[in-house]
Structure formats: C-alpha cells, structure tokens
Amino acid sequence: MLFNIFLLIAGLGALVWSADKFVFGAAAFARNLGLPPMLIGLTIVAMGSSAPEMFVAATASLEGMTDTAIGNVLGSNVANITLILGITALLGAISVSSQTLKREIPMMLGATAMAGYFLHDGQLTRVEGLVLMALFFALMGYLIWHAIVNKEKDPLIDEAESEVPKDVPTPKAILWLVIGLVLLPLSADWMVQGAVGIAKAFHMSDLVIGLTIIAVGTSLPELAACVAGVLKKEDDLAIGNVVGSNLFNILAVLALPALIAPGAVDAAASSRDFYMVMATSVALAILILLTGKARQLRPWHGGVLLATFIAYQVTLFLS
C-alpha cells in the first residue's frame, strides 16, 4: 500500500511538472518558428490544462482500463465545477465575462449532452471518438477565426497569449519539449498504477478509480491556477478556464479511449456519473444567471458546490 501511495504522489507530481515543461517547450519552439502568439496561446497553451487528463486517459486505455479513462473525464469535469470553483468562490465572488456566459458555457453544455448521447447505449465506438476529435479541431478553428475577426478584448485570449514564453533559445525549448514528452507518459503510468493499487485494496471498480483519485489528482493544477487568479484579483478568468478545460476534456480526452480501446462502458458512467456531470454543468449556468446583471459566482454558491462535491465522493466510495 505504501508503495502504491508513493507511486501515486510521485506520478501526480511528475505529471503536473512535465505537463508544464512540455507546454513551455512546445510554445517557445512554436514561437521561434514564427507562429503568432495568439495562435500558440489558443492551441498549445490552452490545451496545457488538459494535458494531464489526456496522458492519463491514453495510458489507461492502452492498459485496457477504458472505464478508468472515461471516469477520469467525467470525474474531472465534476471536480472542476464543484471542487475547484467551490473553493475558489469561497475566497470571494467570481465574476463571469459575457463571452463565457454567451459562448463557452453553451458550448460546454452542448458537448456534455453529446457525450451523454454517445454513452447512453453502454458503448463508446471508434466512430464516436472520431466525431469528438473532429469537433475538437473544429472548435479550435472557430476560436482562432473568432479571435482574428473580432477585435474586442477577450480576457481569456489575452491571458493565453500572455503565457506564451518569449526569448527562449531554440535548443532550450526543444530540450524541455523532449523532457516533457518522455516524462508525461511515464508519470501518467505511475499515477495510474498507484491509483489502481490503492483502489483495489479498497475493492473499487476501474470507473470509480477514474472518478475519484485520478480525477481529483489531474484537476489539482486547475485549482492552483484558479486560486492564484483570485488572489491576484483576476477572478474573471477562473470560470472561463474551468469551462474551457471541461470542453477540452469532453471533446479531446473522451475521444482517446474511444479511439484507442472502443467497446463496452460501465453502466454507471452513462447513468449516475453522466447525470452528475450534466447536472453540475447546468447548475453552474443557473447559479450565474440567477445573479442577474452581476453575473457572479458568490461565496454561498461556492459552499453549495463544495458540499455537492463531498456528497458525490462519499456516494462513490460507498457504492
């Protein structure tokens, strides 16, 4: 058990660190090749927050643990809204930009509904994986087109562009890119193996492993980013980052188990857990809309979301 705990912690730490270095190296290298910072920010940097989920999902799928990969997606999306936004809102009211409310949240709700449709028959097929991946690339294309055509200030685009590293020598950028590419799959494997060892000691299913230990672990970087944003008075970016991460998880990450290991899905994923993802996504939109023109997630909302997260985790461990 101690060895599995060590594997889990070491894997999580290495996964987060290597994902950061991979994004840094890839973004710096792309900038040195002459790609516009806006394009790099909307693609490489924006996808960086979902890199841990992507590598864990790919690793679990390759090891025949499709339910763990699916659980990671569903569990991460629930954790992003209930745990991350719950804790962040408790620190102070979170403002929501009109762009996020009118564009990103409806996209997230639509993608979530589509995921539920694909999962409802208890199967995840390669064709469905291709559809999800095609939609992901279409989304990236739309965001880039929208940023080019519309000149109004978008805080999410500005933030993504500002995070593109400057003046990094190409050899250094390539070094970090290679280190990230080597460590990401290794650390994802350590994390999966450690989580599986711990979960099996408690007789948990592959799906619940993904929904709990792995989902919360891969969501921790988002928590750190959101809390840091609030402390720096940049709270308007928190919900946009979470919604964007959830959107990428459904389209890009859920596509991986479908493409790598298509087949049967645990029945609970298409009922209990999908309903939880859909309910929390809709609840987020409703809570914001109920504040009227203020468009905020308030501290008491955070308390409700955090209590929901705790109740859901207890239900999973007792199931």
Side-chain angles (χ1 to χ4, degrees), residues 201-288:
F202 292 98
H203 307 291
M204 295 163 61
S205 68
D206 285 353
L207 177 64
V208 174
I209 295 169
L211 288 164
T212 54
I213 301 171
I214 294 178
V216 173
T218 55
S219 294
L220 290 179
E222 283 294 329
L223 175 59
C226 287
V227 170
V230 168
L231 295 178
K232 290 188 293 185
K233 307 300 182 184
E234 296 175 349
D235 56 283
D236 57 319
L237 297 173
I239 292 181
N241 285 333
V242 163
V243 170
S245 178
N246 280 14
L247 195 50
F248 282 13
N249 283 347
I250 291 210
L251 297 181
V253 184
L254 188 60
L256 295 177
L259 294 173
I260 296 171
V265 175
D266 190 312
S270 58
S271 54
R272 176 196 63 195
D273 304 312
F274 166 73
Y275 295 148
M276 187 64 182
V277 176
M278 196 74 222
T280 52
S281 299
V282 171
L284 174 63
I286 291 174
L287 287 175
I288 296 168

Side-chain angles (χ1 to χ4, degrees), residues 94-262:
I94 306 173
S95 300
V96 185
S97 72
S98 58
Q99 286 271 48
T100 299
L101 190 61
K102 294 177 182 177
R103 187 181 68 187
E104 278 88 0
I105 288 180
M107 284 182 177
M108 179 186 71
L109 292 173
T112 302
M114 176 171 287
Y117 175 74
F118 286 163
L119 291 170
H120 87 282
D121 61 354
Q123 298 282 329
L124 198 56
T125 68
R126 190 163 279 122
V127 171
E128 290 167 343
L130 288 170
V131 171
L132 289 172
M133 194 59 75
L135 287 172
F136 171 71
F137 285 114
L139 171 66
M140 299 303 293
Y142 166 75
L143 292 177
I144 293 167
W145 170 82
H146 187 272
I148 294 172
V149 171
N150 293 274
K151 302 301 183 182
E152 73 261 26
K153 188 176 180 63
D154 188 328
L156 284 174
I157 293 175
D158 292 342
E159 184 203 25
E161 189 173 341
S162 70
E163 290 182 6
V164 178
K166 302 176 182 178
D167 303 320
V168 179
T170 298
K172 182 179 179 180
I174 293 174
L175 175 64
W176 285 123
L177 177 59
V178 171
I179 289 174
L181 281 173
V182 171
L183 274 182
L184 272 168
L186 283 176
S187 54
D189 184 60
W190 297 341
M191 187 177 176
V192 169
Q193 293 305 320
V196 168
I198 294 170
K200 285 187 174 177
F202 292 98
H203 307 291
M204 295 163 61
S205 68
D206 285 353
L207 177 64
V208 174
I209 295 169
L211 288 164
T212 54
I213 301 171
I214 294 178
V216 173
T218 55
S219 294
L220 290 179
E222 283 294 329
L223 175 59
C226 287
V227 170
V230 168
L231 295 178
K232 290 188 293 185
K233 307 300 182 184
E234 296 175 349
D235 56 283
D236 57 319
L237 297 173
I239 292 181
N241 285 333
V242 163
V243 170
S245 178
N246 280 14
L247 195 50
F248 282 13
N249 283 347
I250 291 210
L251 297 181
V253 184
L254 188 60
L256 295 177
L259 294 173
I260 296 171

Side-chain angles (χ1 to χ4, degrees), residues 30-44:
R31 185 165 196 153
N32 291 350
L33 288 177
L35 293 177
M38 182 192 70
L39 177 62
I40 301 169
L42 286 172
T43 54
I44 298 171

